[in-house]
């Protein structure tokens, strides 16, 4: 944890949009610690230079692993396949690729500062914060081990959490619980098909943070991942993915003041394409 800092700034999904990030950073006190909420690379035009910049911040910056960051790790491990929209090849071909991958796999699925918790997409409604920490540590230790490539060979899948899961299915379910959830049913079961904004889905689905049986309802959680959701400021929930790569904005929130900083971004990708 960043114990000495009186304030921090959390930055939303960058997706390799380097010029927008650089402009946003000009609005942030250079002495303030940074937390990147995940998906720092991929889809945008400058994935390699973006990850190099964030890595150059050293101890000032912490990164939460998002689904696109995990996709880069899986591809580096020989388990992922490039999507036509991916912009990670430049990282995989870079002379410092090994150093970048090693740094990335030592980042976080969950991170805490004061009474705030940071995750990329969600905390599975079935988990309380103690269990979420335990499961995050389980995967983080795997990613940081010498067996990380082997562990990621079966990373992709829509497994739902069950405490009896073991092996690859357990790893997938934990990663899904932190990096992929948007909508859930009333009993907390994730639905991985719906990706649109709330109100455009069947009535039995709701945002994960509105689930009535969610065990982290009294915890302060900051997350990104959900560009069609946009900026959300609720008493215990802050969402800051505002669609930078789709022509929205890159958003940061200063804590504990909850001051919002934004930089408008060019449209790099058409969400309807």
């Amino acid at each position: 944890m960043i114990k000495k800092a009186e304030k921090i700034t959390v930055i939303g999904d960058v997706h390799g949009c380097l010029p927008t990030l650089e402009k946003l950073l000009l609005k942030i006190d250079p002495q303030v610690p940074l937390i990147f909420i995940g998906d720092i690379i991929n889809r945008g035009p400058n994935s390699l230079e973006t990850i190099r910049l964030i890595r150059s911040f050293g101890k000032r910056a912490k990164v939460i692993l998002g689904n696109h960051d995990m996709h880069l790790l899986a591809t580096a491990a020989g388990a992922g396949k490039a999507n036509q929209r991916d912009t990670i090849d430049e990282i995989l071909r870079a002379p410092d690729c090994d150093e970048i991958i090693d740094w990335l796999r030592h980042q976080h699925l969950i991170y805490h500062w004061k009474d705030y918790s940071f995750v990329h997409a969600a905390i599975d409604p079935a988990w309380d914060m103690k269990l979420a920490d335990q499961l995050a540590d389980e995967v983080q230790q795997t990613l940081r081990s010498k067996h990380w490539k082997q562990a990621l060979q079966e990373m992709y899948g829509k497994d739902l959490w069950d405490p009896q899961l073991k092996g690859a299915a357990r790893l997938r379910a934990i990663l899904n619980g932190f990096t992929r959830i948007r909508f859930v049913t009333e009993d907390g079961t994730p639905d991985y098909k719906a990706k649109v904004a709330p109100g455009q889905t069947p009535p039995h689905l709701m945002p994960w943070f509105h689930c009535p049986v969610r065990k982290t309802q009294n915890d302060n959680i900051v997350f990104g991942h959900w560009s069609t959701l946009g900026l959300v400021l609720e008493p215990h929930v802050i969402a800051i993915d505002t669609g930078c790569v789709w022509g929205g904005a890159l958003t940061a929130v200063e804590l504990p003041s909850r001051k919002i900083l934004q930089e408008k971004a060019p449209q790099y990708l058409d969400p309807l394409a």
Side-chain angles (χ1 to χ4, degrees), residues 67-95:
N67 52 302
H68 285 272
D69 310 309
M70 288 303 308
H71 177 55
L72 172 60
L73 290 178
T75 304
K81 294 183 179 180
N83 181 289
Q84 64 178 359
R85 288 187 170 189
D86 284 347
T87 58
I88 59 175
D89 282 351
E90 60 177 351
I91 301 174
L92 298 170
R93 293 194 303 262

mmCIF file of all heavy atoms in Angstrom, residues 67-95:
data_model
loop_
_atom_site.group_PDB
_atom_site.id
_atom_site.type_symbol
_atom_site.label_atom_id
_atom_site.label_comp_id
_atom_site.label_asym_id
_atom_site.label_seq_id
_atom_site.Cartn_x
_atom_site.Cartn_y
_atom_site.Cartn_z
ATOM 1 N N ASN A 67 -8.234 -7.098 -18.458
ATOM 2 C CA ASN A 67 -8.335 -8.218 -19.387
ATOM 3 C C ASN A 67 -7.394 -8.061 -20.579
ATOM 4 O O ASN A 67 -6.841 -9.054 -21.079
ATOM 5 C CB ASN A 67 -9.790 -8.412 -19.845
ATOM 6 C CG ASN A 67 -10.429 -7.150 -20.377
ATOM 7 O OD1 ASN A 67 -10.507 -6.132 -19.680
ATOM 8 N ND2 ASN A 67 -10.908 -7.188 -21.611
ATOM 9 N N HIS A 68 -7.152 -6.831 -21.027
ATOM 10 C CA HIS A 68 -6.230 -6.636 -22.148
ATOM 11 C C HIS A 68 -4.774 -6.823 -21.718
ATOM 12 O O HIS A 68 -3.951 -7.309 -22.495
ATOM 13 C CB HIS A 68 -6.441 -5.261 -22.783
ATOM 14 C CG HIS A 68 -7.674 -5.183 -23.617
ATOM 15 N ND1 HIS A 68 -7.701 -5.525 -24.958
ATOM 16 C CD2 HIS A 68 -8.940 -4.835 -23.288
ATOM 17 C CE1 HIS A 68 -8.928 -5.373 -25.424
ATOM 18 N NE2 HIS A 68 -9.696 -4.949 -24.435
ATOM 19 N N ASP A 69 -4.473 -6.446 -20.495
ATOM 20 C CA ASP A 69 -3.129 -6.690 -19.969
ATOM 21 C C ASP A 69 -2.885 -8.188 -19.802
ATOM 22 O O ASP A 69 -1.801 -8.699 -20.114
ATOM 23 C CB ASP A 69 -2.956 -5.973 -18.624
ATOM 24 C CG ASP A 69 -3.382 -4.520 -18.692
ATOM 25 O OD1 ASP A 69 -2.909 -3.811 -19.603
ATOM 26 O OD2 ASP A 69 -4.209 -4.103 -17.862
ATOM 27 N N MET A 70 -3.905 -8.896 -19.341
ATOM 28 C CA MET A 70 -3.800 -10.355 -19.214
ATOM 29 C C MET A 70 -3.681 -11.003 -20.588
ATOM 30 O O MET A 70 -2.993 -12.016 -20.751
ATOM 31 C CB MET A 70 -5.005 -10.916 -18.470
ATOM 32 C CG MET A 70 -5.029 -10.613 -16.971
ATOM 33 S SD MET A 70 -3.546 -11.200 -16.099
ATOM 34 C CE MET A 70 -3.475 -12.915 -16.626
ATOM 35 N N HIS A 71 -4.352 -10.429 -21.592
ATOM 36 C CA HIS A 71 -4.243 -10.955 -22.956
ATOM 37 C C HIS A 71 -2.809 -10.834 -23.464
ATOM 38 O O HIS A 71 -2.294 -11.748 -24.128
ATOM 39 C CB HIS A 71 -5.209 -10.195 -23.868
ATOM 40 C CG HIS A 71 -5.143 -10.587 -25.309
ATOM 41 N ND1 HIS A 71 -5.302 -11.894 -25.742
ATOM 42 C CD2 HIS A 71 -4.935 -9.845 -26.439
ATOM 43 C CE1 HIS A 71 -5.185 -11.938 -27.070
ATOM 44 N NE2 HIS A 71 -4.951 -10.711 -27.502
ATOM 45 N N LEU A 72 -2.160 -9.732 -23.152
ATOM 46 C CA LEU A 72 -0.750 -9.581 -23.523
ATOM 47 C C LEU A 72 0.101 -10.642 -22.838
ATOM 48 O O LEU A 72 0.946 -11.277 -23.477
ATOM 49 C CB LEU A 72 -0.251 -8.183 -23.151
ATOM 50 C CG LEU A 72 1.261 -7.960 -23.308
ATOM 51 C CD1 LEU A 72 1.716 -8.176 -24.741
ATOM 52 C CD2 LEU A 72 1.639 -6.555 -22.826
ATOM 53 N N LEU A 73 -0.124 -10.872 -21.551
ATOM 54 C CA LEU A 73 0.652 -11.888 -20.830
ATOM 55 C C LEU A 73 0.411 -13.275 -21.420
ATOM 56 O O LEU A 73 1.357 -14.055 -21.610
ATOM 57 C CB LEU A 73 0.290 -11.873 -19.346
ATOM 58 C CG LEU A 73 0.744 -10.655 -18.544
ATOM 59 C CD1 LEU A 73 0.275 -10.764 -17.095
ATOM 60 C CD2 LEU A 73 2.257 -10.487 -18.597
ATOM 61 N N ALA A 74 -0.844 -13.584 -21.723
ATOM 62 C CA ALA A 74 -1.153 -14.902 -22.281
ATOM 63 C C ALA A 74 -0.524 -15.070 -23.655
ATOM 64 O O ALA A 74 -0.017 -16.155 -23.995
ATOM 65 C CB ALA A 74 -2.664 -15.097 -22.366
ATOM 66 N N THR A 75 -0.540 -14.009 -24.460
ATOM 67 C CA THR A 75 0.078 -14.079 -25.785
ATOM 68 C C THR A 75 1.585 -14.252 -25.662
ATOM 69 O O THR A 75 2.197 -15.032 -26.403
ATOM 70 C CB THR A 75 -0.262 -12.820 -26.597
ATOM 71 O OG1 THR A 75 -1.698 -12.679 -26.657
ATOM 72 C CG2 THR A 75 0.277 -12.921 -28.011
ATOM 73 N N ALA A 76 2.197 -13.548 -24.715
ATOM 74 C CA ALA A 76 3.633 -13.706 -24.478
ATOM 75 C C ALA A 76 3.967 -15.112 -23.994
ATOM 76 O O ALA A 76 5.069 -15.617 -24.242
ATOM 77 C CB ALA A 76 4.108 -12.676 -23.456
ATOM 78 N N ALA A 77 3.006 -15.749 -23.333
ATOM 79 C CA ALA A 77 3.206 -17.113 -22.841
ATOM 80 C C ALA A 77 2.934 -18.160 -23.914
ATOM 81 O O ALA A 77 3.086 -19.359 -23.673
ATOM 82 C CB ALA A 77 2.300 -17.365 -21.633
ATOM 83 N N GLY A 78 2.498 -17.713 -25.105
ATOM 84 C CA GLY A 78 2.204 -18.642 -26.191
ATOM 85 C C GLY A 78 0.803 -19.193 -26.159
ATOM 86 O O GLY A 78 0.477 -20.135 -26.890
ATOM 87 N N ALA A 79 -0.067 -18.603 -25.332
ATOM 88 C CA ALA A 79 -1.430 -19.117 -25.185
ATOM 89 C C ALA A 79 -2.478 -18.249 -25.858
ATOM 90 O O ALA A 79 -3.575 -18.713 -26.149
ATOM 91 C CB ALA A 79 -1.773 -19.247 -23.698
ATOM 92 N N GLY A 80 -2.161 -16.986 -26.125
ATOM 93 C CA GLY A 80 -3.131 -16.083 -26.725
ATOM 94 C C GLY A 80 -2.945 -15.953 -28.222
ATOM 95 O O GLY A 80 -1.860 -16.188 -28.750
ATOM 96 N N LYS A 81 -4.013 -15.584 -28.890
ATOM 97 C CA LYS A 81 -3.965 -15.344 -30.331
ATOM 98 C C LYS A 81 -4.380 -13.902 -30.610
ATOM 99 O O LYS A 81 -5.344 -13.410 -30.042
ATOM 100 C CB LYS A 81 -4.891 -16.313 -31.067
ATOM 101 C CG LYS A 81 -4.457 -17.769 -30.967
ATOM 102 C CD LYS A 81 -5.381 -18.662 -31.777
ATOM 103 C CE LYS A 81 -4.935 -20.128 -31.690
ATOM 104 N NZ LYS A 81 -5.835 -21.024 -32.473
ATOM 105 N N ALA A 82 -3.658 -13.259 -31.505
ATOM 106 C CA ALA A 82 -3.912 -11.852 -31.783
ATOM 107 C C ALA A 82 -5.268 -11.660 -32.447
ATOM 108 O O ALA A 82 -5.650 -12.391 -33.354
ATOM 109 C CB ALA A 82 -2.810 -11.287 -32.672
ATOM 110 N N ASN A 83 -6.000 -10.669 -31.973
ATOM 111 C CA ASN A 83 -7.247 -10.221 -32.580
ATOM 112 C C ASN A 83 -6.914 -9.166 -33.623
ATOM 113 O O ASN A 83 -5.894 -8.490 -33.526
ATOM 114 C CB ASN A 83 -8.131 -9.633 -31.468
ATOM 115 C CG ASN A 83 -9.473 -9.146 -31.955
ATOM 116 O OD1 ASN A 83 -9.563 -8.127 -32.653
ATOM 117 N ND2 ASN A 83 -10.519 -9.835 -31.563
ATOM 118 N N GLN A 84 -7.757 -9.000 -34.643
ATOM 119 C CA GLN A 84 -7.453 -8.036 -35.700
ATOM 120 C C GLN A 84 -7.389 -6.603 -35.178
ATOM 121 O O GLN A 84 -6.788 -5.722 -35.808
ATOM 122 C CB GLN A 84 -8.481 -8.131 -36.824
ATOM 123 C CG GLN A 84 -9.903 -7.761 -36.437
ATOM 124 C CD GLN A 84 -10.866 -7.822 -37.612
ATOM 125 O OE1 GLN A 84 -10.453 -8.119 -38.721
ATOM 126 N NE2 GLN A 84 -12.133 -7.560 -37.363
ATOM 127 N N ARG A 85 -8.002 -6.327 -34.024
ATOM 128 C CA ARG A 85 -7.939 -4.998 -33.438
ATOM 129 C C ARG A 85 -6.782 -4.843 -32.449
ATOM 130 O O ARG A 85 -6.559 -3.755 -31.916
ATOM 131 C CB ARG A 85 -9.250 -4.665 -32.723
ATOM 132 C CG ARG A 85 -10.425 -4.386 -33.655
ATOM 133 C CD ARG A 85 -11.614 -3.906 -32.844
ATOM 134 N NE ARG A 85 -12.688 -3.408 -33.703
ATOM 135 C CZ ARG A 85 -13.771 -2.771 -33.248
ATOM 136 N NH1 ARG A 85 -13.909 -2.561 -31.962
ATOM 137 N NH2 ARG A 85 -14.703 -2.343 -34.075
ATOM 138 N N ASP A 86 -6.061 -5.911 -32.171
ATOM 139 C CA ASP A 86 -4.983 -5.840 -31.191
ATOM 140 C C ASP A 86 -3.838 -4.957 -31.671
ATOM 141 O O ASP A 86 -3.508 -4.933 -32.860
ATOM 142 C CB ASP A 86 -4.427 -7.239 -30.897
ATOM 143 C CG ASP A 86 -5.350 -8.063 -30.005
ATOM 144 O OD1 ASP A 86 -6.274 -7.475 -29.417
ATOM 145 O OD2 ASP A 86 -5.133 -9.278 -29.896
ATOM 146 N N THR A 87 -3.222 -4.265 -30.736
ATOM 147 C CA THR A 87 -2.030 -3.457 -31.044
ATOM 148 C C THR A 87 -0.906 -3.816 -30.072
ATOM 149 O O THR A 87 -0.215 -2.943 -29.558
ATOM 150 C CB THR A 87 -2.344 -1.951 -30.962
ATOM 151 O OG1 THR A 87 -2.839 -1.635 -29.651
ATOM 152 C CG2 THR A 87 -3.370 -1.546 -32.004
ATOM 153 N N ILE A 88 -0.740 -5.121 -29.837
ATOM 154 C CA ILE A 88 0.281 -5.564 -28.887
ATOM 155 C C ILE A 88 1.500 -6.165 -29.567
ATOM 156 O O ILE A 88 2.495 -6.450 -28.907
ATOM 157 C CB ILE A 88 -0.293 -6.587 -27.882
ATOM 158 C CG1 ILE A 88 -0.850 -7.815 -28.594
ATOM 159 C CG2 ILE A 88 -1.347 -5.932 -26.997
ATOM 160 C CD1 ILE A 88 -1.312 -8.921 -27.654
ATOM 161 N N ASP A 89 1.450 -6.348 -30.881
ATOM 162 C CA ASP A 89 2.601 -6.950 -31.574
ATOM 163 C C ASP A 89 3.865 -6.130 -31.391
ATOM 164 O O ASP A 89 4.964 -6.685 -31.291
ATOM 165 C CB ASP A 89 2.303 -7.110 -33.063
ATOM 166 C CG ASP A 89 1.418 -8.316 -33.357
ATOM 167 O OD1 ASP A 89 1.196 -9.106 -32.417
ATOM 168 O OD2 ASP A 89 0.959 -8.465 -34.501
ATOM 169 N N GLU A 90 3.729 -4.802 -31.347
ATOM 170 C CA GLU A 90 4.910 -3.967 -31.191
ATOM 171 C C GLU A 90 5.583 -4.203 -29.842
ATOM 172 O O GLU A 90 6.811 -4.069 -29.728
ATOM 173 C CB GLU A 90 4.561 -2.487 -31.362
ATOM 174 C CG GLU A 90 3.544 -1.954 -30.370
ATOM 175 C CD GLU A 90 3.300 -0.459 -30.558
ATOM 176 O OE1 GLU A 90 4.045 0.159 -31.345
ATOM 177 O OE2 GLU A 90 2.386 0.086 -29.915
ATOM 178 N N ILE A 91 4.808 -4.557 -28.847
ATOM 179 C CA ILE A 91 5.397 -4.894 -27.548
ATOM 180 C C ILE A 91 6.131 -6.226 -27.631
ATOM 181 O O ILE A 91 7.263 -6.364 -27.160
ATOM 182 C CB ILE A 91 4.309 -4.960 -26.454
ATOM 183 C CG1 ILE A 91 3.582 -3.623 -26.324
ATOM 184 C CG2 ILE A 91 4.918 -5.379 -25.109
ATOM 185 C CD1 ILE A 91 2.400 -3.653 -25.367
ATOM 186 N N LEU A 92 5.495 -7.206 -28.253
ATOM 187 C CA LEU A 92 6.080 -8.545 -28.333
ATOM 188 C C LEU A 92 7.340 -8.578 -29.187
ATOM 189 O O LEU A 92 8.185 -9.470 -29.025
ATOM 190 C CB LEU A 92 5.034 -9.524 -28.875
ATOM 191 C CG LEU A 92 3.784 -9.682 -28.006
ATOM 192 C CD1 LEU A 92 2.719 -10.476 -28.740
ATOM 193 C CD2 LEU A 92 4.130 -10.358 -26.687
ATOM 194 N N ARG A 93 7.485 -7.613 -30.096
ATOM 195 C CA ARG A 93 8.674 -7.549 -30.948
ATOM 196 C C ARG A 93 9.760 -6.632 -30.378
ATOM 197 O O ARG A 93 10.865 -6.578 -30.914
ATOM 198 C CB ARG A 93 8.293 -7.044 -32.347
ATOM 199 C CG ARG A 93 7.412 -7.978 -33.152
ATOM 200 C CD ARG A 93 7.378 -7.556 -34.610
ATOM 201 N NE ARG A 93 6.915 -6.178 -34.758
ATOM 202 C CZ ARG A 93 5.663 -5.837 -35.067
ATOM 203 N NH1 ARG A 93 4.744 -6.786 -35.248
ATOM 204 N NH2 ARG A 93 5.310 -4.562 -35.187
ATOM 205 N N ALA A 94 9.454 -5.904 -29.331
ATOM 206 C CA ALA A 94 10.376 -4.891 -28.815
ATOM 207 C C ALA A 94 11.607 -5.536 -28.172
ATOM 208 O O ALA A 94 11.511 -6.627 -27.588
ATOM 209 C CB ALA A 94 9.663 -4.010 -27.787
ATOM 210 N N PRO A 95 12.758 -4.881 -28.241
ATOM 211 C CA PRO A 95 13.969 -5.434 -27.628
ATOM 212 C C PRO A 95 13.867 -5.561 -26.110
ATOM 213 O O PRO A 95 14.556 -6.390 -25.514
ATOM 214 C CB PRO A 95 15.066 -4.436 -28.030
ATOM 215 C CG PRO A 95 14.341 -3.178 -28.386
ATOM 216 C CD PRO A 95 13.030 -3.614 -28.949
#
